[in-house]
Amino acid sequence: MRAAEQQEYDWYFRACFAPVSRTVYLIVRDRGRAEDITQEALYRLLRHWRTVSAYERPEAWVRRVAIRIAVREVQRAAARPEKERLAQPASYDETPDPDVARAVAELAPMQRAAVVLYYWEDRSVHEIAELLCVSDSTVKQHLYRARHRLATVLGEEEVDDVRR
């Protein structure tokens, strides 16, 4: 973006923010959300500046985008209680022994993820690798290190059981 375009965009940003934010506030009834939505609309203006700046009234484009976002937000918020009511509550019946849970919580995040996916969700090394966007050997390395750390923390014998 050239300096002249940047100055013009900055001027529109300052000129549009307050009135558009006020309009959005009247739709969403939450000042913080109204400001976030207005910033999102103005960000979209920046992304499409070369096209929209040629319009007769770029501020009308921003207002229209902000109103659409606000309406979607209100609809989403209205539907949320019904969706939450219909959602199945999560079942945590298969939680590990508290000592094991504490030990797993002390692992590095990737080791923790690998342990949970391998031992509690019974996923293969290859599946875990795909989920974590790493190689199979990296998953095996995380599991090896995690088992070693868990054995140390829990005072138990280390077992090498990575089979898949």
Side-chain angles (χ1 to χ4, degrees):
M1 183 178 271
R2 292 184 325 223
E5 289 176 322
Q6 183 65 48
Q7 284 181 327
E8 189 178 14
Y9 171 79
D10 290 347
W11 182 87
Y12 270 103
F13 186 97
R14 286 189 299 275
C16 292
F17 190 85
V20 171
S21 183
R22 189 172 31 257
T23 299
V24 172
Y25 170 78
L26 294 170
I27 296 169
V28 299
R29 306 302 296 169
D30 180 302
R31 183 181 181 143
R33 281 179 53 210
E35 289 175 356
D36 288 346
I37 290 168
T38 304
Q39 286 179 2
E40 174 63 25
L42 286 162
Y43 171 70
R44 291 181 188 182
L45 173 66
L46 177 61
R47 283 191 0 228
H48 301 286
W49 181 248
R50 289 182 191 245
T51 304
V52 178
S53 65
Y55 293 177
E56 188 174 319
R57 295 181 49 222
E59 68 280 358
W61 185 92
V62 171
R63 185 176 300 274
R64 184 172 54 252
V65 168
I67 289 169
R68 287 180 181 164
I69 296 170
V71 168
R72 256 186 263 121
E73 287 284 320
V74 170
Q75 290 170 336
R76 205 173 284 138
R80 185 172 292 124
E82 180 64 18
K83 301 262 189 224
E84 288 174 354
R85 188 183 64 74
L86 295 174
Q88 296 269 341
S91 173
Y92 299 111
D93 296 339
E94 298 177 28
T95 55
D97 174 90
D99 293 333
V100 173
R102 265 192 300 282
V104 169
E106 290 179 17
L107 296 172
M110 288 294 279
Q111 291 176 7
R112 190 177 328 144
V115 165
V116 168
L117 293 169
Y118 188 80
Y119 291 104
W120 281 283
E121 292 192 9
D122 199 31
R123 294 184 186 268
S124 70
V125 168
H126 185 71
E127 272 185 289
I128 297 168
E130 287 180 349
L131 286 169
L132 300 179
C133 300
V134 297
S135 68
D136 290 7
S137 61
T138 300
V139 171
K140 289 178 183 178
Q141 184 180 51
H142 285 311
L143 288 170
Y144 173 81
R145 289 178 179 166
R147 274 193 309 280
H148 178 72
R149 175 79 175 127
L150 290 171
T152 303
V153 170
L154 296 171
E156 302 210 355
E157 180 180 325
E158 190 174 341
V159 178
D160 185 24
D161 65 347
V162 176
R163 60 195 173 281
R164 304 177 247 172

